[in-house]
Amino acid sequence: MEFSTLIWTTIGVILTLCVYSFLYKDNPFYKFAEHLVVGASAGYYLVIYYYNFIDPNVVRPVFQLEHGGQAIALGGFEWWMALIPGLLGLLLYARFFPKIAWVGRWPLGIYVGGYAGLGISPVMQARVIDQMRAASSPLASIVGPGEVVDPFAAVTNTALGFVIFAVMTYFLLAKRHLGSRGIAAMIGVIAASAVVGYGGYVVLTALSAANVVSTTSILLVVGLLGTLAYFFFSLRHTGLLGGLARIGIVFLMVGFGASFGYTVMSRISLLIGRVGFLIDWIGMFSS
Amino acid sequence: MMRASLAVLSILVLSLTFGWAWAQDELVLEGVEPALSDTLPPDLIPPAPAAGLTAVDYVDNNDSGNKIDLSWTTSPDDGDGAADVTGYQVWRSETAAGPGDTLAFVAAGQAGYLDETAEPGTPYYYSVTAFDGTNHSDAVSFGPVAGARNWFTATRAAVLVLVSVFFGLVLVFTQLAERGAKLFVRRIPGLNAIEEAVGRATEMGRPVLYVPGIGEIDNIMTIASLTILSHVAKITARYETPLIVPTARAVVMSAAEEVVKEAYAEVGKPDAYNRDNIRYLSDAQFAFAGAVNGIMLREKPAANLYLGAFWAESLLLAETGFEAGAIQVAGTAMVSQLPFFVTACDYTLLGEELYAASAYLSREPKLLGGLKGSDWMKVVTIVLIAAGIIMNLVGADAFVEWFHTS
């Protein structure tokens, strides 16, 4: 093994342990590692930004008259397109001179306005229109065309959908109006919801071309509408809007829970990688 | 021994060689026909050329100027005549002098080709030769022709219509707000929490930490965060509570400085503004997170506000703040990070609540107009989804397909 490999790996191990020492409490070792990484990254990014952005996009086109290997004519369109953003960037430093500090707002205004304008169309397409289109076809079948329906899957799909539907109807829409009228009222509302829901489901299935309509896809559309209602700020969340908003927040929280668990698992794999690094370092001495 | 081995090897090689030659003779003797090309002289006659090549900018209202439509009359030897044309070779050049580079091979019988690789605005010269498998005909040429960008992409009409509806709604509500109409926006619970948190920090005589995320200034969450920062800075200025704002982007630091300074001036406390408290730490995500953690532990802010665009550092920050015992309020539209804030913070502004909060706090007509406009856009969306479902049920798929924009 190269001596230099051992040295750098050992430094990595020491810094890793310094960072982990934070788990006990703040201490000089953690402070050292923190300051080292902040300082090193600031210097690193300064160099990266210069060579990846300023040099190829401003300095070279303006002074060496080339961009990406293509010659740029002095005073030509491309030359101005390099010079003007460069000058706007320099205006950011106007804030160091109090008398002209206000000029520093120009580049910020252009930067923010430009990006906002460019972003509107793709956001409308990807986040609104595409999702709206997908939600407009909720009557998906639980099996593909020509496939045989598994009776167990069909029963599970239907039963699960209506248990969720009925319980949701009770707790989110009916409970507050019933007050404390006892368990009989609760069972009655849940049963009525299930019957009404099932009736609607049968009608939808008859109308759609799907063999067995997926109740989860219908629930997803209900969740989407509920979430939109939750983020409606122009009315107080009372009555039907309040009920829908409560459905929305339930869906949000279920989503957050799933996302939390998923991410924690990925963080655990990062920890495993780091512990593996420490074990490999110990192994370096035995090889 | 060595000599004997060599002799055996030589015999083996000779046997195999003669055996192979004998087998070839046997094939001929058994009457297997040799290939036609082995017996006939090579084809030296090129096919008759194609004619009437034209190339025009492809117009379907959807291309970005990269398409040129070529058409020609097929060679007289294509199907008729010698009937030996196997296809056409299409060439493209940027000069009139030569055939240039091969663009495509087109099968016999076809009289056109769509070039989809043109640079918009670049004039090209096209040539087409008929090919019979051996020879090329004379070239038929056309040029120059250049593709022009279309102003309008018909397949994305839905985007234009909905953006126009949205802009219309925003403009109407902005006008109403500017004329003094009282536009109702419901109170967001997380906002009360921000004021509570700052009040608590003041009571404890400890600073407030405001992290505007690690997004660039072009990120809409960062912009919303800076609006809320202005509100928070006014409260801290009134209470004379130190406000620490660590940033991960140089431009965000500049903007944050401006915002905080203005807020302090607005409430008549310009001298309380401390420029050193608006800090640039690092562009590196985890270096930034480590440094903010250090601030939490050493300067012991009593209130931590995380409002803006956050990525994987969210849990590191919120967990350390929780350990340090600070009251924490977070807000972001980063769906993947919201679970961590919901778990580790006292209050969380979910998604659009971040933007709504900035409008609610500032009562700025443009922000209010934007908020109300997006609210009613949601109503439009719900109506369109309902209409889409009904249209799907009655088999009118064209309605939903109109929204197919990609």
Side-chain angles (χ1 to χ4, degrees), chain A residues 22 26 30 34 41 49 95 105 108 111-112 125 129 136-137 139 230-234 237 263, chain B residues 156 184 186 217 251 254 257-258 262 282-283 290 297-298 340 350 353 372 375 378 392-393 403 405:
Chain A
F22 183 75
D26 191 28
Y30 173 75
E34 176 202 318
S41 66
Y49 283 149
R95 65 196 186 84
R105 292 178 186 176
L108 285 179
Y111 190 56
V112 172
Q125 181 177 353
I129 294 178
S136 296
S137 312
L139 304 180
Y230 176 78
F231 287 111
F232 193 76
F233 299 99
S234 294
H237 282 177
T263 313
Chain B
R156 301 188 69 198
F184 175 79
R186 70 175 168 83
I217 193 74
V251 183
S254 301
E257 274 188 342
E258 290 287 330
E262 260 184 40
S282 170
D283 271 73
L297 293 169
R298 282 161 225 145
F340 303 120
L350 302 174
E353 286 181 339
K372 299 293 281 189
D375 253 9
K378 283 173 209 139
N392 254 343
L393 282 174
F403 293 103
T405 54

Side-chain angles (χ1 to χ4, degrees), chain B residues 176-213:
Chain B
L176 287 173
E178 279 177 352
R179 287 177 188 173
K182 286 187 179 175
L183 300 178
F184 175 79
V185 177
R186 70 175 168 83
R187 178 81 183 170
I188 298 157
L191 288 180
N192 298 334
I194 290 177
E195 284 169 21
E196 273 172 36
V198 177
R200 186 184 171 213
T202 309
E203 281 168 14
M204 296 173 79
R206 279 157 50 178
V208 171
L209 178 74
Y210 188 101
V211 187

